[in-house]
Amino acid sequence: MFSPLARQVIDPVMNRRRRRHRANQNRDISLVNFPTPEIYNFQKNLHIILNARFRCTFSIVHLDQSKSTVEFARPTLVGYKPLCRFIDNIGCEHTHTLPEGLDLVEEQFFQVLHFFHDRDIFFPVSTKNIEITLPTHRGPAYPRLFLPLCRLSRDIKLAAHKKDLRSTWKARSFFRFAKVLLRIDAYLSSDSSPRPIVLDLESQHALIYGIRRNPNADNLILCEYVAPMIPELACAVVYAPRFYNSGHRARNVSYEFFGGPMPLPEPGTPPDAIYDCFVQLRARVDHSRYRDENTAWDPKLENNLHLDSIITFLRLFWCRAAVAMTLGEPNRKRWIDTAKALLNASLAYDGLPTDLGKRPGCKEYQFQNDGRVSM
């Protein structure tokens, strides 16, 4: 038998493999086999350039050109979280991240995205494909961008087309939504008895975009503190399935929006009269206290607080009827019957879509005295 020292001298290859195995035990290793040599060379060069310029993706550990395989590894000593999970956790745990820190990640991401666009490289933009390196005591003191490109090797490809402007707009909407939530969370954490937070029109539209695509319960609870809400945001909050199943919270948002409890119309009330009644209720809500207390009041917000959309009203009314069913209110059958009558009246016009959940508010549709809808 050889001694341990003699074995290290005789078998240096095995010794290197053991050291490499011990070093990689705590690392995220991915072995990717590319289908063609062209894709292999493209992905290899892409990772080399991105790590040299941006340091934002997996590093290359080992190359095997004969088999078109690459062994990738994540950088060590940092924590990673996809942007979707990062957004979901805002409000339910301390993120240790301010909106200014997310600005750095956003700036770096668009540098990489422009790098892709300038070279006709398609990158599938989504909150699952964008990761954030979280600050740790052993890692960087601020969040950074990380892109798991090797796991998206089938989606990232050369595409001879113009810059994908839609992906740019989508990515900006993701980051804007996250930063608005962080802003609300920081505001609530700074005050033991917080008052409503006033958001400008652009920030409320960012919340609408994010809620409609991912109605996370903790994010929706943060939105409760926004006041005054534009009709589309109030509708998005109470319309989210995970939220209007929690009847009390959805009912409180409706009360705040209309300045009090939503009145149940008497049986036989014409649909146009019901709509006019709720429009007047919304118009009588006093928003002056928010305007007087907020020095950065957005003038554009004032013009968008009125209820002037049939679709938005129908969604709010249906959600109120669903709340009545969830809470077992005595008048729940009347709520449902009235909601059905309103929907039937709106569908009397053939041009109105039946899928109200996927259609934005349409200001051009108005109820007429005969209960029909026309343009």
Side-chain angles (χ1 to χ4, degrees):
M1 293 291 295
F2 295 102
S3 66
L5 180 60
R7 185 178 296 277
Q8 291 182 12
V9 175
I10 294 173
D11 198 356
V13 176
M14 181 61 70
N15 189 41
R16 286 197 301 269
R17 288 178 180 175
R18 288 174 177 171
R19 288 202 305 268
R20 180 179 167 188
H21 175 72
R22 287 194 297 268
N24 291 337
Q25 279 182 338
N26 297 323
R27 303 180 70 183
D28 187 354
I29 302 295
S30 298
L31 182 64
V32 182
N33 185 6
F34 296 105
T36 64
E38 292 76 13
I39 298 179
Y40 164 81
N41 290 324
F42 167 70
Q43 289 285 343
K44 178 192 69 174
N45 295 331
L46 180 62
H47 279 78
I48 292 174
I49 295 174
L50 286 179
N51 276 311
R53 294 186 58 174
F54 305 106
R55 298 178 59 191
C56 65
T57 186
F58 283 82
S59 58
I60 296 177
V61 177
H62 180 69
L63 295 170
D64 190 341
Q65 187 172 1
S66 62
K67 298 180 181 178
S68 296
T69 59
V70 182
E71 189 175 349
F72 297 98
R74 285 180 184 266
T76 57
L77 303 182
V78 290
Y80 299 88
K81 184 174 290 187
L83 184 58
C84 58
R85 284 181 52 201
F86 177 82
I87 293 175
D88 288 345
N89 291 336
I90 298 176
C92 66
E93 66 178 30
H94 190 40
T95 59
H96 301 282
T97 303
L98 296 176
E100 294 76 13
L102 203 59
D103 286 336
L104 300 175
V105 179
E106 181 181 10
E107 180 182 358
Q108 188 181 15
F109 174 76
F110 282 104
Q111 290 177 357
V112 177
L113 192 63
H114 293 156
F115 170 85
F116 287 151
H117 287 168
D118 291 342
R119 289 155 181 81
D120 291 328
I121 298 175
F122 173 75
F123 176 78
V125 175
S126 76
T127 53
K128 295 180 180 180
N129 298 339
I130 303 172
E131 296 187 4
I132 297 177
T133 61
L134 302 178
T136 63
H137 65 283
R138 296 185 299 174
Y142 51 89
R144 287 186 58 86
L145 172 73
F146 187 84
L147 300 177
L149 298 184
C150 68
R151 296 180 178 175
L152 306 172
S153 57
R154 296 182 179 179
D155 301 321
I156 299 177
K157 54 183 178 296
L158 289 171
H161 55 66
K162 297 181 180 179
K163 294 181 180 180
D164 189 357
L165 299 180
R166 184 175 179 274
S167 65
T168 302
W169 173 83
K170 184 192 297 186
R172 290 202 182 278
S173 300
F174 291 150
F175 282 105
R176 189 179 296 118
F177 175 55
K179 286 188 288 186
V180 173
L181 289 178
L182 285 173
R183 178 179 160 193
I184 299 174
D185 189 42
Y187 169 78
L188 298 179
S189 302
S190 63
D191 195 344
S192 57
S193 57
R195 295 178 297 175
I197 180 173
V198 179
L199 297 180
D200 57 18
L201 185 61
E202 182 180 358
S203 298
Q204 295 204 29
H205 279 299
L207 291 179
I208 295 170
Y209 177 86
I211 290 172
R212 285 178 176 174
R213 280 150 184 80
N214 182 29
N216 177 272
D218 295 300
N219 297 163
L220 292 167
I221 291 174
L222 291 178
C223 294
E224 285 186 70
Y225 293 91
V226 177
M229 286 187 186
I230 62 176
E232 292 78 10
L233 178 58
C235 180
V237 171
V238 300
Y239 195 72
R242 297 181 190 177
F243 198 61
Y244 65 65
N245 286 337
S246 176
H248 294 288
R249 292 187 176 277
R251 187 172 60 182
N252 292 341
V253 173
S254 300
Y255 284 5
E256 178 69 24
F257 181 77
F258 286 106
M262 292 177 64
L264 177 59
E266 293 295 330
T269 306
D272 59 327
I274 297 175
Y275 176 65
D276 291 339
C277 173
F278 281 93
V279 169
Q280 293 172 13
L281 281 176
R282 176 59 179 172
R284 287 197 291 266
V285 177
D286 183 19
H287 304 299
S288 60
R289 65 185 187 277
Y290 303 115
R291 182 174 57 250
D292 297 339
E293 296 174 358
N294 191 272
T295 57
W297 178 264
D298 183 7
K300 297 179 182 179
L301 184 62
E302 188 80 36
N303 300 326
N304 287 269
L305 293 175
H306 305 290
L307 179 61
D308 55 1
S309 167
I310 289 293
I311 304 297
T312 301
F313 167 68
L314 287 175
R315 288 174 176 170
L316 287 170
F317 200 93
W318 263 106
C319 290
R320 180 61 185 88
V323 167
M325 294 294 294
T326 301
L327 299 181
E329 296 181 3
N331 295 325
R332 57 187 180 275
K333 187 177 185 303
R334 279 182 55 194
W335 277 108
I336 293 296
D337 292 341
T338 307
K340 289 180 180 179
L342 288 172
L343 183 60
N344 291 334
S346 67
L347 296 179
Y349 179 73
D350 296 335
L352 192 65
T354 57
D355 190 357
L356 301 178
K358 298 182 180 179
R359 178 68 180 261
C362 301
K363 298 180 181 179
E364 62 269 22
Y365 294 104
Q366 296 181 350
F367 281 112
Q368 303 299 319
N369 292 331
D370 59 356
R372 293 177 62 83
V373 179
S374 63
M375 295 183 65

